[in-house]
Amino acid sequence: MKTPVVIAVAGAAGQISYSLLFRIVSGELFGLEQPIILRLLEITPSLEKLHGVVMELNDCAYPLLQKVIPTDDSRVAFKDADYVFLAGAKPRKMGMKRKDLLASNALIFAEQGKALNEVASRHVKVLVTGNPANTNALITQRNAPDLSPSCFAAMSMLDHNRAISQLAEKCGVRSKDIKNIIIWGNHSETQYPDLHHATVKGQNAFALVEDEWITEYFIPTVQHRGAAIIGARGLSSAASAANAAIDQMRAWTLGTQNNDWVSMAVFADGSYGIENGLFYSFPVRVSAEGEVTIVSDLQIDAFSLMRMQVSERELKEERMAVQHLL
Ligand code: NAD
Ligand code: LMR
């Protein structure tokens, strides 16, 4: 058995966490040889509910789970944390845009950024899920100036998985047959799910589907999937969000395989003309040591560039709205 890793989860009594926590400690994140110490953060009024979650975790008798520390103090939760899932934030309701949540959620991430700066491992990986995820990642990172910007990412993997699933269904193949989908931009309705480089069983996806299906069905379906789930369930996605959080943190830590890539919203470095420092979703490859590289030199046509820039503009507007916290 390896040395235990410390995994912190904020919003630990929430919907996403109710799926995420059990999958983390069952070994789905880092495998069956990796023991885990869980640090669970909630607001004070939800501690009793969190106590119930802790009882259930204990009742699973997971061999990998060494210790669970529930708390309402972010400095206790993030102490020496190696991996952090930030899912402690309000979800939107029907009719809202994710950016409407900034008013209620932005401060949470400023506070959690400060706590991470003080107490987390200097090599921590912080995955921001709470919406609006990209701008919350920016707020968190800016409030943690002693940590490298590469310690932070926002979740694009749910959009990435949604895009894979739509293309797989259209082509009558399995999700494993789809490679090199890209989600560009913000986790919002301006995101751009791009099929130009995607392959289906090794064949270019563009040759297999009609242009009209891409523009009239595929792109809007992926862009609006979160709202469609809220419309159907009355609650925002939770199990699929937890699944994506596991996929993204696993890829970020253990690396991407076979020259394939995934989409992650990371600190922009000027690639593709996107402004430095925004948290923008790019195609990335990750080394076995967990080092992320934005896939470079992809051909971008005018249609794609226009959509990429629309999403960049929205991120700049969101940034403007939280300038006081940066
Ligand atoms: P939820 O309301 O079920 O759970 C959120 C939990 O966070 C609650 O238990 C709440 O008490 C807790 N919380 C609130 N403020 C906190 C704080 N300061 N510190 C710690 N915990 C705090 O919501 P959910 O369905 O689990 O969703 C959580 C967030 O994730 C929402 O913002 C939602 O919009 C977002 N989300 C993002 C994606 C994505 O792809 N990025 C997908 C699904 C949901
Ligand atoms: C999603 O994409 O499912 C989440 O961001 C939740 C939402 O508000 O859409």
Side-chain angles (χ1 to χ4, degrees):
M1 277 280 181
K2 301 174 181 169
T3 313
V5 290
V6 178
I7 301 181
V9 179
Q15 274 208 96
I16 294 176
S17 294
Y18 198 62
S19 179
L20 178 66
L21 293 170
F22 296 85
R23 294 186 59 180
I24 290 175
V25 288
S26 71
E28 280 190 62
L29 182 58
F30 294 143
L32 297 175
E33 299 296 318
Q34 180 57 68
I36 289 163
I37 296 172
L38 270 187
R39 292 179 169 267
L40 305 182
L41 180 63
E42 258 300 342
I43 50 173
T44 313
S46 296
L47 281 179
E48 186 53 29
K49 190 171 172 199
L50 180 58
H51 178 56
V53 175
V54 173
M55 285 196 280
E56 285 206 71
L57 281 165
N58 288 332
D59 292 350
C60 292
Y62 286 117
L64 294 178
L65 184 56
Q66 292 229 332
K67 200 170 177 186
V68 191
I69 301 149
T71 178
D72 58 0
D73 181 341
S74 51
R75 280 154 186 80
V76 173
F78 300 152
K79 178 94 183 93
D80 299 327
D82 301 300
Y83 304 94
V84 177
F85 294 87
L86 296 186
K90 271 201 182 144
R92 65 175 164 157
K93 300 215 162 60
M94 232 168 30
M96 290 172 77
K97 301 268 182 220
R98 295 180 186 91
K99 61 186 160 199
D100 298 335
L101 291 168
L102 270 180
S104 50
N105 289 343
L107 258 178
I108 296 174
F109 292 87
E111 149 65 21
Q112 293 185 353
K114 290 187 177 78
L116 287 161
N117 197 49
E118 282 176 35
V119 302
S121 152
R122 298 301 88 177
H123 304 289
V124 66
K125 289 184 186 329
V126 180
L127 176 59
V128 178
T129 300
N131 275 322
N134 300 51
T135 297
N136 288 337
L138 176 73
I139 297 168
T140 313
Q141 180 262 322
R142 290 284 196 91
N143 281 275
D146 301 337
L147 294 171
S148 162
S150 63
C151 293
F152 300 88
M155 196 160 93
S156 302
M157 196 60 111
L158 181 53
D159 308 297
H160 188 93
N161 285 342
R162 286 169 173 166
I164 288 178
S165 147
Q166 291 300 324
L167 182 60
E169 189 181 337
K170 169 76 177 166
C171 295
V173 300
R174 294 169 59 191
S175 56
K176 71 171 184 49
D177 299 323
I178 308 280
K179 305 282 181 216
N180 293 346
I181 289 266
I182 303 174
I183 304 294
W184 299 100
N186 198 2
H187 174 63
S188 75
E189 279 80 1
T190 68
Q191 68 178 267
Y192 171 44
D194 179 3
L195 289 185
H196 282 85
H197 308 275
T199 59
V200 181
K201 290 191 168 176
Q203 270 187 281
N204 187 290
F206 249 69
L208 299 174
V209 297
E210 311 81 39
D211 288 359
E212 197 186 339
W213 178 81
I214 296 176
T215 53
E216 302 303 315
Y217 183 82
F218 171 76
I219 294 176
T221 297
V222 177
Q223 288 174 326
H224 298 282
R225 189 66 159 190
I229 288 169
I230 293 171
R233 244 170 61 85
L235 287 169
S236 62
S237 65
S240 57
N243 178 67
I246 289 196
D247 281 352
Q248 185 160 337
M249 188 65 95
R250 194 197 301 111
W252 190 5
T253 304
L254 304 180
T256 47
Q257 313 296 323
N258 306 325
N259 215 32
D260 195 7
W261 65 60
V262 293
S263 304
M264 284 190 197
V266 293
F267 190 84
D269 62 358
S271 297
Y272 301 100
I274 302 303
E275 188 177 306
N276 230 291
L278 289 171
F279 278 80
Y280 188 96
S281 181
F282 291 100
V284 302
R285 293 197 179 91
V286 188
S287 72
E289 292 73 42
E291 198 180 320
V292 174
T293 310
I294 294 172
V295 177
S296 59
D297 299 329
L298 294 173
Q299 290 277 337
I300 307 292
D301 67 7
F303 174 87
S304 297
L305 189 62
M306 186 268 291
R307 286 179 177 259
M308 288 160 67
Q309 290 171 343
V310 166
S311 207
E312 179 192 26
R313 254 198 313 280
E314 181 183 48
L315 283 168
K316 288 183 188 168
E317 285 161 17
E318 289 183 18
R319 182 180 60 187
M320 190 76 87
V322 296
Q323 206 62 48
H324 59 294
L325 296 174
L326 304 180

